[in-house]
Amino acid sequence: MEKIILIKYGELTTKKNNRKTFINLLEKNVKNILKNYDIKITTTLVRMFIEVDKKYIDEVVIKLQKVFGIHSIVVAFKTNNNIDDIKQAIVEILKNKNFKTFKIETKRANKNFEIPSMEFSRQIGAFVLQKFACKVDVHSPDLLLKIEIRENTYISTNEIKALGGYPVGIQGKGLLMLSGGIDSPVAGYLALKRGVDLECLYFESPPHTSSNAKNKVITLAKKLNNYSGNIKLHILPFTKLQEEIYKNVPDNYMITILRRMMYRIAHKLVLKNNLKVIINGESIGQVASQTLTSMQVINAVTNLPIIRPVATLDKLEIIDIAKKIDTYNTSILPYEDCCTIFLPKHPVINPSLDKCLLYEQKLNYEKLIDECINNIETVTLNDDKNFQDLL
Ligand code: ATP
Ligand code: MG
């Protein structure tokens, strides 16, 4: 019997006017993630059907579980709409299953099939009772058998919950400030989930930060890229500008000004690369530079929207997601970030904008910022060769 993968769209179905655009992009993303498999995709407004050689079904299902815009995945047996053939298929499917109680759910999308859903469930239920030693339990059955009657009939016993969200890219691209910490990869993941594709920006300060720190960020970007396939990582040499700050700015304002510079750079890169927003892993109150006053003062250098997907999450909630997306173990590797070197003892928690402007007058930052941007090294993560070269 033929097996087929059915994809259910979830939240997409609420997007009435844009539905086609969403589904087309989802199809493109699915094809991209499955490009190494010989597949046949049939896409309709309610389902996507994927046919692939039986031996690859499990692998393909695992890959599909990383595609945003899919609500659930069903591996179904496909048969025609002839009742005897459906019954025979059900016997085949159930004979290897271990169950004492069951329930049948029928969805009759094809109204040319003359038996209504409830009636068909009853008929098939009676048939199963005849063939197998079992009972009906409509509340918590051991086995839920679903029958979808469309142009063909699809029979399944297991629906795998997928990620939901929107197809990556539907919202254009944002620039993720990606550090080696726990928070920013999670922020990137959550932005991808809402359909925002990413370019990533990492500020590195060699020799104060090591190549281990850089490789850690490349690994994190690669992990995020599993959900996109299009991500680029920009590695920006930040040392000169950072040293200029440390030489000229009072200790307690160093981090505030450092972060204002990061935002200025991110702002320029967004405009240069035609992106739409800045995304980062700031979380309210987590450190001195993330109090609301700090955010206000730091944010003042850009009028771009800043998306902070983890702003309202507790650290433990962020860690839960980091573990789920497999970035946690990489993030906790103990390599210095540019924000953690030369950390002042008492960073200001209520910075004043006037003071920032005063201190910044001493810095020749416009020129240094342009120099940083001109010396960016860009890594395309779906190009394995390029990635290997960097490690
Ligand atoms: P942690 O999990 O240790 O908090 P973090 O990356 O969140 O790590 P923070 O000091 O809280 O570190 O920084 C706040 C945000 O600023 C980060 O989430 C990230 O978006 C951005 N950021 C910090 N350092 C860098 C860096 N070196 N390159 C790019 N972005 C950075
Ligand atoms: Mg943080």
XYZ file of all heavy atoms in Angstrom, residues 182-183 186 190 281-286 309-322:
176
model
N 23.046 32.703 25.240
C 21.868 31.830 25.173
C 20.705 32.553 24.494
O 19.918 31.957 23.759
C 21.447 31.410 26.606
C 22.547 30.566 27.244
C 20.120 30.647 26.588
C 22.369 30.368 28.738
N 20.622 33.861 24.729
C 19.402 34.584 24.372
C 19.232 34.848 22.875
O 18.138 34.686 22.329
C 19.357 35.930 25.111
C 19.449 35.747 26.623
O 18.930 34.739 27.123
O 20.039 36.610 27.285
N 17.884 32.130 20.524
C 16.456 31.895 20.791
C 15.622 33.016 20.155
O 14.586 32.768 19.530
C 16.188 31.803 22.320
C 14.695 31.777 22.617
C 16.880 30.570 22.894
N 12.705 32.554 17.310
C 11.334 33.056 17.457
C 10.968 34.016 16.322
O 9.817 34.064 15.892
C 11.153 33.728 18.823
C 11.236 32.760 20.020
C 11.208 33.524 21.338
C 10.100 31.732 19.988
N 18.551 39.735 21.357
C 18.155 38.856 22.466
C 18.032 39.585 23.787
O 18.204 38.973 24.841
N 17.738 40.878 23.732
C 17.601 41.605 24.998
C 16.349 41.150 25.745
O 15.316 40.874 25.139
C 17.527 43.113 24.727
C 18.865 43.677 24.273
C 18.799 45.140 23.861
O 17.675 45.659 23.638
O 19.862 45.757 23.753
N 16.484 41.135 27.072
C 15.381 40.698 27.912
C 15.262 41.711 29.050
O 16.270 42.025 29.693
C 15.717 39.296 28.430
O 14.729 38.839 29.287
N 14.069 42.208 29.278
C 13.903 43.354 30.198
C 14.536 43.065 31.562
O 14.219 42.046 32.195
C 12.408 43.687 30.401
C 11.764 44.043 29.062
C 12.234 44.840 31.395
C 10.248 44.134 29.119
N 15.416 43.958 31.960
C 15.973 43.898 33.312
C 17.096 42.894 33.515
O 17.643 42.784 34.617
N 17.475 42.153 32.462
C 18.445 41.067 32.654
C 19.810 41.579 33.123
O 20.439 40.983 33.993
C 18.593 40.281 31.347
C 19.285 38.947 31.519
C 19.521 38.262 30.171
O 20.426 38.586 29.438
N 18.671 37.303 29.861
N 12.362 39.390 20.680
C 11.409 38.298 20.918
C 11.449 37.740 22.333
O 10.451 37.223 22.815
C 11.843 37.229 19.904
C 12.582 37.984 18.854
C 13.269 39.103 19.573
N 12.585 37.862 23.030
C 12.633 37.280 24.384
C 12.508 38.354 25.465
O 12.765 38.086 26.640
C 13.900 36.411 24.604
C 13.967 35.305 23.570
C 15.190 37.235 24.577
N 12.104 39.549 25.064
C 12.062 40.678 26.017
C 11.307 40.328 27.297
O 11.722 40.703 28.383
C 11.428 41.897 25.358
N 10.231 39.603 27.177
C 9.387 39.379 28.366
C 9.541 37.977 28.951
O 8.788 37.590 29.834
C 7.897 39.581 28.011
O 7.555 38.608 27.016
C 7.633 40.967 27.467
N 10.505 37.223 28.463
C 10.657 35.858 28.988
C 11.641 35.829 30.167
O 12.605 36.582 30.191
C 11.163 34.916 27.895
C 10.306 34.742 26.635
C 10.871 33.632 25.757
C 8.867 34.405 26.993
N 11.399 34.933 31.109
C 12.380 34.680 32.161
C 13.537 33.889 31.571
O 13.365 33.173 30.582
C 11.760 33.796 33.265
C 10.737 34.547 34.077
O 10.665 35.782 33.933
O 10.020 33.884 34.841
N 14.679 33.982 32.241
C 15.855 33.247 31.740
C 15.531 31.750 31.602
O 15.932 31.106 30.628
C 17.042 33.461 32.681
C 18.367 33.018 32.099
C 18.871 34.005 31.052
C 20.087 33.492 30.329
N 20.709 34.500 29.463
N 14.809 31.204 32.574
C 14.531 29.761 32.513
C 13.653 29.405 31.316
O 13.801 28.341 30.711
C 13.873 29.268 33.809
C 14.810 29.251 35.022
C 14.056 28.796 36.267
C 16.021 28.339 34.784
N 12.764 30.318 30.982
C 11.918 30.074 29.796
C 12.769 30.121 28.527
O 12.579 29.337 27.599
C 10.805 31.136 29.707
C 9.784 31.033 30.828
C 8.817 32.219 30.859
O 9.265 33.380 30.817
O 7.608 31.968 30.947
N 13.729 31.054 28.507
C 14.613 31.162 27.336
C 15.464 29.882 27.231
O 15.628 29.312 26.148
C 15.518 32.415 27.436
C 14.659 33.687 27.516
C 16.474 32.485 26.242
C 15.436 34.971 27.787
N 15.953 29.441 28.381
C 16.792 28.227 28.388
C 16.006 27.011 27.876
O 16.524 26.191 27.119
C 17.361 27.970 29.812
C 18.448 29.015 30.104
C 17.913 26.558 29.959
C 19.005 28.981 31.514
N 14.745 26.933 28.268
C 13.904 25.810 27.789
C 13.884 25.773 26.259
O 14.012 24.716 25.646
C 12.457 25.973 28.265
C 12.273 25.409 29.661
O 13.209 24.752 30.146
O 11.197 25.634 30.247
N 13.695 26.954 25.657
C 13.642 27.002 24.186
C 15.018 26.679 23.613
O 15.139 25.925 22.638
C 13.144 28.383 23.681
C 11.767 28.680 24.255
C 13.090 28.407 22.147
C 11.233 30.073 23.934
N 16.070 27.222 24.242
C 17.434 26.974 23.743
C 17.733 25.472 23.734
O 18.376 24.950 22.814
C 18.446 27.714 24.598
